[in-house]
Amino acid sequence: MLSKTDTDKCVACSTCVVQCPVAEVTTKFLGPRMLGPASERFRLLNDGEDSSLTYCANCKNCDISCPQGVGVSNINMLARAAYAKKHRPSFRDWILAHGELESRLAGIFPAALANFGMANPISKCILDKIGISKKADLPRFASKQLAAAFKAYKQPEQLSKKVVFFPGCFIKAYAPQTGMDFVWLLNKAGYRVELPDAFCCCGTPLYTNGFADDARKNAEKNLAEMRKWKEQGIKVLALCPSCELMFKEELPVFFPDLAHDGASYLENGEEFVLGCISRGELVIDAPGNAMKDKKIIYHAPCHLRALGSGMPGLDMLGSIPGLKVSSASAGCCGISGSYGFKKEKYDISMAIGSKLFQSIKNSNADLAATECGTCKVQIMHGTAMPCEHPVSILKHYLEKEQQ
Amino acid sequence: MSKKTDIIVVGSGLAGLTAALSARASGRQVLLITHGVGSLAVSSGCIDVLGYHNGCPVQDPIADLPQLNPEHPYSLAGAERVEKAIDWLQSLCLAGGLNMQKNLSRRNHELITVMGTLKPSYLCPESFCTECFAKARRAAVVSFENMKDVHPLLIIDQLHRYARFADMEFMEAMLPCPIDQSHRNVTPLDVARFVDTPEGLEWLRLSLEPYAKLYPILLMPPVLGVKNSQKVWGTLCDVLKVRIVEMVSIPPGVAGLRLREVLRNALNEAGITMIENALAVRAVADDKKCLSVVTSGAGGEHSWEASQFIIATGGILGGGVATSPGKAWETIFNIPIKAPENPQEWSSTEIFGRSFFSQMGVRVNADLKAIDDSGAVLYENVRFAGRTIGGYDYASEKSGHGTALVTGMLAGELAGKE
């Protein structure tokens, strides 16, 4: 048995129960300790499944809080995948899991039409019928998705160094500007960026919604492409903490045969930018009037906290002269990917996020910042405050300073 | 990649949190690195300074400090420092909306547990104080249906065995469970979270009203909210014209979570960044100077540089100390801890007796720096705090939170001065 999912490491201290954002707001969820390590022993007897397994949001606060290093959330996700093998997940879950496929279909139509197709009251009613909350703000497809925007963009020619960008499906379909801002920064630091067509969704929404086979296919494709670049000694960078966590922590547990060789070829894009700054490739010693006295409140996504790598986004914002940055430190936003879009989870999701919303509203900031795409959707939904990825904020600053 | 700051604290239990806060007070940059959240959130939330000494109950822990062995962390810190740390936490909590109180006669509180036993503690939330029983001799013991850890009849039966409560009149008050029937056991934390909402508070007020008319004291599990417990307690006592006494509960302890929230908020206001889910696996040192601590997590290994380090990683349960038969050692610097070779000598046949398991820890000097057998300092810029330190038996003494607080605050202050 993998040490990360070893149930015997659990001493039943109940720390995870106290820290679980879902258990905090609803008693419908059995809680991480009981559903994870405690139930796992019964699963070995193949003795049925607890009905509240779908209430785990896979936000990973149980793992973050556990003093013994038990991978509670992964125990839950493995159990969910095993359950889904015998009981087909719903059409609603298929829709939410396969967002990337839908974005490709949507790409055929003009974005306005595709978005109208999703956001008009009639569609919302239909979505609500299949179990997607009509109160939720589903993210909008961008008018030009990342692949098209990247193709249309001309990178400077004299760049000798090279990096590869793994954008993840959110940036690809809904926030291509974040991806392009990152490309701009990397170019400015002297790197040419590759955006391979072969990269597809990291598999997080697929696996957590019960489509393990589809997640496996994606993993095979992505890892093969990453291996190719790794062999050439070229770094692959990601901006989405959930994608990064999938490759670094979850794939080796979900598909140990695929990722046995140390899993990850993926690196944190923000850490790379910080490295560029400290190596002097990217210079921020301008007088700093572009963001003078602007106030930004930063939210650390749970999956970033779970990585245990620190807060490169917060460090990056802190490096911008004149900018006033504070950290919300208010826990989970509640969305957990597609969790908060589900009809029966919407209220739970909003109740979880209420602490963060309050903290952001109280901050009187001009702008919120976070790395995770769906955290961003949730923050804007819960606070009506604009929210940006830290790389975009750094790009705006440098661009303005240039003018 | 390596990152640099002034002072690094490893561990986010009571010792780590207080070390970070007191270090930050010096104006230096502080980074807190942690793996897990420590045991504070599931604890009683009361500060046990010294409950027993050599197996005998301690009345006044401060007066008894000079009798402790010279290696005891309290002896190293000095009695004055112990009192200073307690007062500091008290003012910190008050600023965060939680009124922590000493006993009026400056002796140990006798707190009531949900098992109906009495527990010595020095500093507790006002809502736990039991001095009101000196005047009022009648109380309703409140619990909730489906709350399997709190049984009024057991509590009443147990309390009657103590001379202090033998002649008291108690009544069982079982309230309906306010939480939807679910397959999950209801804990005081569930009810406390409900009471944090306006409808929950109103429900509790209405439910307690009939009992408040009959009895001057209501003895309850810690259900008076998590976020605003002080206010909830004050409001209910006022409107019901009654004194509410909360009992110390088993994990999840609720009051521990209240205290942790207060300290977390203070940390955030002080601008201290916390790196979570990062297990400190080793240190890089140049002779007697620690240069960096290396952490391992899902995101890979990271190196964190600082000029001062405070290690508050806990004991065996927290991961600060590891063991194999006949051996024990601190886990980041691999500092050996003297241990009986025969593992049978590690434990005690007396369940509440002293045992090596609750004593093992790093030997430190008055500066809280690790020392070897000859008394020489191992690392000039590394201090230890809380359970990682040896020289005391937190379980048999009932001194866990007290030692964490005193050494945490002292380590932070000393690191901030260097």
Side-chain angles (χ1 to χ4, degrees):
Chain A
M1 187 180 272
L2 277 157
S3 66
K4 277 297 272 184
T5 48
D6 184 356
T7 52
D8 289 345
K9 281 205 293 189
C10 173
V11 297
C13 68
S14 77
T15 294
C16 58
V17 184
V18 174
Q19 306 291 336
C20 172
V22 179
E24 180 174 348
V25 301
T26 177
T27 51
K28 286 183 184 145
F29 183 43
L30 192 54
R33 173 171 75 89
M34 289 300 288
L35 196 63
S39 296
E40 189 65 12
R41 300 192 175 96
F42 294 98
R43 289 187 191 112
L44 297 174
L45 300 171
N46 207 6
D47 202 24
E49 189 48 77
D50 187 86
S51 58
S52 72
L53 184 59
T54 61
Y55 277 86
C56 170
N58 194 35
C59 69
K60 303 207 175 273
N61 279 286
C62 44
D63 307 353
I64 295 169
S65 64
C66 178
Q68 307 301 323
V70 180
V72 184
S73 64
N74 285 342
I75 295 176
N76 292 348
M77 289 308 112
L78 287 166
R80 199 184 277 175
Y83 183 81
K85 267 204 167 138
K86 292 184 205 150
H87 310 79
R88 223 168 65 174
S90 66
F91 176 58
R92 185 272 313 267
D93 288 356
W94 189 93
I95 293 271
L96 290 174
H98 293 78
E100 191 182 39
L101 182 65
E102 288 135 30
S103 76
R104 257 185 263 152
L105 292 176
I108 300 170
F109 304 100
L113 203 64
N115 283 323
F116 178 76
M118 297 288 280
N120 72 71
I122 299 168
S123 305
K124 281 212 157 193
C125 268
I126 296 170
L127 290 174
D128 199 73
K129 272 269 176 325
I130 64 162
I132 295 173
S133 172
K134 62 180 167 210
K135 291 183 269 181
D137 274 338
L138 293 177
R140 303 284 174 104
F141 296 118
S143 58
K144 207 186 232 179
Q145 295 191 4
L146 184 69
F150 186 74
K151 240 174 222 148
Y153 175 74
K154 209 169 158 335
Q155 299 192 63
E157 277 177 13
Q158 69 285 11
L159 305 171
S160 55
K161 295 169 282 185
K162 194 188 266 184
V163 287
V164 177
F165 178 30
F166 179 91
C169 46
F170 193 90
I171 288 180
K172 256 180 153 177
Y174 307 108
Q177 192 51 49
T178 307
M180 294 311 296
D181 290 344
F182 187 48
V183 171
W184 188 93
L185 281 176
L186 292 168
N187 286 167
K188 198 168 166 54
Y191 293 85
R192 191 176 170 75
V193 182
E194 294 284 341
L195 187 73
D197 288 334
F199 279 149
C200 50
C201 166
C202 71
T204 294
L206 295 167
Y207 200 91
T208 55
N209 278 299
F211 302 90
D213 291 343
D214 295 346
R216 189 186 167 91
K217 275 181 216 147
N218 281 20
E220 282 169 350
K221 245 171 105 177
N222 283 327
L223 288 171
E225 181 69 20
M226 285 178 190
R227 234 168 248 143
K228 222 171 79 189
W229 296 105
K230 168 106 173 174
E231 277 158 16
Q232 298 175 49
I234 296 170
K235 288 184 171 171
V236 182
L237 309 175
L239 285 183
C240 168
S242 299
C243 295
E244 194 182 340
L245 194 68
M246 183 65 175
F247 285 101
K248 290 183 173 171
E249 194 211 62
E250 294 171 312
L251 279 185
V253 177
F254 299 160
F255 311 116
D257 58 316
L258 286 186
H260 59 91
D261 52 348
S264 193
Y265 309 141
L266 199 62
E267 291 191 31
N268 184 296
E270 290 175 316
E271 268 185 44
F272 187 81
V273 171
L274 283 173
C276 291
I277 295 170
S278 70
R279 286 191 296 272
E281 295 166 341
L282 197 62
V283 181
I284 318 189
D285 61 356
N289 289 321
M291 298 245 171
K292 200 164 180 286
D293 296 331
K294 261 213 159 190
K295 261 179 105 178
I296 289 194
I297 181 145
Y298 170 78
H299 162 66
C302 298
H303 285 184
L304 178 89
R305 290 164 50 220
L307 279 163
S309 301
M311 310 234 180
L314 191 60
D315 294 343
M316 198 190 282
L317 294 171
S319 72
I320 299 175
L323 191 64
K324 288 185 179 155
V325 191
S326 62
S327 173
S329 297
C332 183
C333 77
I335 193 78
S336 290
S338 56
Y339 185 89
F341 298 140
K342 298 176 181 177
K343 199 174 171 182
E344 74 283 10
K345 314 271 167 49
Y346 174 84
D347 290 336
I348 293 174
S349 154
M350 291 302 281
I352 293 171
S354 60
K355 252 188 266 177
L356 175 65
F357 304 153
Q358 206 52 51
S359 166
I360 291 176
K361 284 179 192 161
N362 290 348
S363 71
N364 290 320
D366 304 296
L367 184 67
T370 194
E371 286 91 349
C372 168
T374 50
C375 288
K376 203 162 105 175
V377 170
Q378 177 84 335
I379 288 169
M380 294 195 289
H381 181 57
T383 66
M385 192 185 282
C387 186
E388 292 273 10
H389 195 292
V391 298
S392 291
I393 296 168
L394 180 60
K395 188 245 177 180
H396 294 326
Y397 171 78
L398 291 174
E399 201 178 33
K400 273 196 181 168
E401 285 296 313
Q402 262 182 1
Q403 286 163 5
Chain B
M1 197 179 154
S2 195
K3 295 145 201 188
K4 203 166 178 169
T5 189
D6 295 332
I7 301 170
I8 282 177
V9 178
V10 187
S12 71
L14 183 59
L17 294 174
T18 50
L21 284 169
S22 79
R24 182 75 184 103
S26 69
R28 307 282 179 86
Q29 280 302 319
V30 177
L31 184 70
L32 189 62
I33 298 173
T34 186
H35 181 251
V37 296
S39 61
L40 174 59
V42 292
S43 76
S44 69
C46 304
I47 306 298
D48 304 344
V49 173
L50 188 67
Y52 298 89
H53 181 47
N54 292 332
C56 301
V58 168
Q59 301 295 326
D60 180 348
I62 304 297
D64 276 16
L65 291 179
Q67 293 172 32
L68 297 172
N69 72 60
E71 280 191 7
H72 197 292
Y74 290 150
S75 306
L76 297 174
E80 204 177 298
R81 166 66 57 175
V82 174
E83 286 195 86
K84 193 178 156 191
I86 293 163
D87 293 345
W88 175 68
L89 183 73
Q90 217 175 350
S91 59
L92 205 67
C93 287
L94 198 60
L98 186 63
N99 189 0
M100 298 283 281
Q101 293 234 319
K102 294 175 195 165
N103 180 299
L104 287 176
S105 49
R106 297 295 158 98
R107 296 157 90 93
N108 268 330
H109 290 284
E110 279 187 314
L111 304 181
I112 299 173
T113 75
V114 293
M115 295 300 292
T117 55
L118 299 182
K119 172 191 158 68
S121 192
Y122 194 67
L123 192 67
C124 70
E126 196 177 4
S127 58
F128 282 71
C129 294
T130 57
E131 284 148 312
C132 55
F133 284 101
K135 285 180 208 144
R137 305 302 294 160
R138 302 163 62 249
V141 183
V142 180
S143 186
F144 305 83
E145 279 164 18
N146 303 333
M147 190 181 280
K148 74 173 172 64
D149 294 329
V150 187
H151 301 280
L153 292 181
L154 171 79
I155 295 163
I156 293 167
D157 188 54
Q158 286 286 340
L159 284 177
H160 274 149
R161 295 174 194 217
Y162 290 98
R164 187 181 156 199
F165 295 102
D167 62 338
M168 269 195 65
E169 182 197 330
F170 289 114
M171 178 205 181
E172 178 192 26
M174 193 58 97
L175 306 186
C177 185
I179 291 164
D180 288 346
Q181 271 293 342
S182 77
H183 54 335
R184 176 167 119 194
N185 288 318
V186 173
T187 66
L189 181 61
D190 292 319
V191 179
R193 282 175 166 158
F194 177 57
V195 172
D196 268 334
T197 66
E199 64 268 34
L201 180 59
E202 181 58 11
W203 168 85
L204 188 62
R205 184 189 70 77
L206 285 171
S207 309
L208 292 177
E209 209 165 34
Y211 299 100
K213 281 180 182 153
L214 295 172
Y215 289 90
I217 298 176
L218 303 178
L219 187 60
M220 301 178 69
V223 297
L224 303 183
V226 177
K227 294 174 201 155
N228 295 311
S229 58
Q230 187 68 39
K231 236 169 135 184
V232 168
W233 178 79
T235 307
L236 284 176
C237 289
D238 276 357
V239 297
L240 295 171
K241 296 186 184 65
V242 75
R243 177 88 187 188
I244 297 177
V245 177
E246 288 189 299
M247 291 179 277
V248 178
S249 155
I250 63 166
V254 186
L257 186 59
R258 293 172 188 162
L259 179 55
R260 191 167 197 278
E261 299 270 298
V262 167
L263 295 177
R264 271 299 313 258
N265 289 342
L267 217 64
N268 205 25
E269 273 169 36
I272 298 169
T273 303
M274 193 190 275
I275 309 300
E276 297 167 290
N277 222 13
L279 181 66
V281 285
R282 61 176 185 278
V284 178
D286 180 10
D287 192 25
K288 285 185 165 187
K289 191 173 178 223
C290 178
L291 304 175
S292 64
V293 163
V294 179
T295 61
S296 168
E301 284 206 343
H302 290 265
S303 168
W304 309 87
E305 291 174 40
S307 47
Q308 297 290 321
F309 296 84
I310 298 169
I311 310 300
T313 43
I316 298 178
L317 277 175
V321 174
T323 61
S324 67
K327 271 187 188 160
W329 64 94
E330 185 278 334
T331 49
I332 299 178
F333 294 85
N334 281 320
I335 299 169
I337 293 166
K338 225 186 230 172
E341 265 175 46
N342 178 4
Q344 285 189 337
E345 289 169 33
W346 287 28
S347 56
S348 162
T349 48
E350 268 179 75
I351 189 163
F352 296 116
R354 295 172 69 85
S355 95
F356 180 66
F357 281 107
S358 53
Q359 290 167 16
M360 64 174 86
V362 174
R363 219 180 127 198
V364 296
N365 62 13
D367 212 11
L368 299 181
K369 292 175 183 171
I371 49 172
D372 63 15
D373 283 346
S374 69
V377 168
L378 296 174
Y379 299 97
E380 293 291 353
N381 60 340
V382 181
R383 288 182 172 79
F384 291 82
R387 249 323 280 133
T388 324
I389 298 180
Y392 70 112
D393 189 308
Y394 77 99
S396 71
E397 289 174 3
K398 291 249 163 283
S399 60
H401 275 355
T403 319
L405 164 65
V406 171
T407 55
M409 186 205 178
L410 179 59
E413 203 175 290
L414 293 172
K417 278 183 191 157
E418 287 205 24

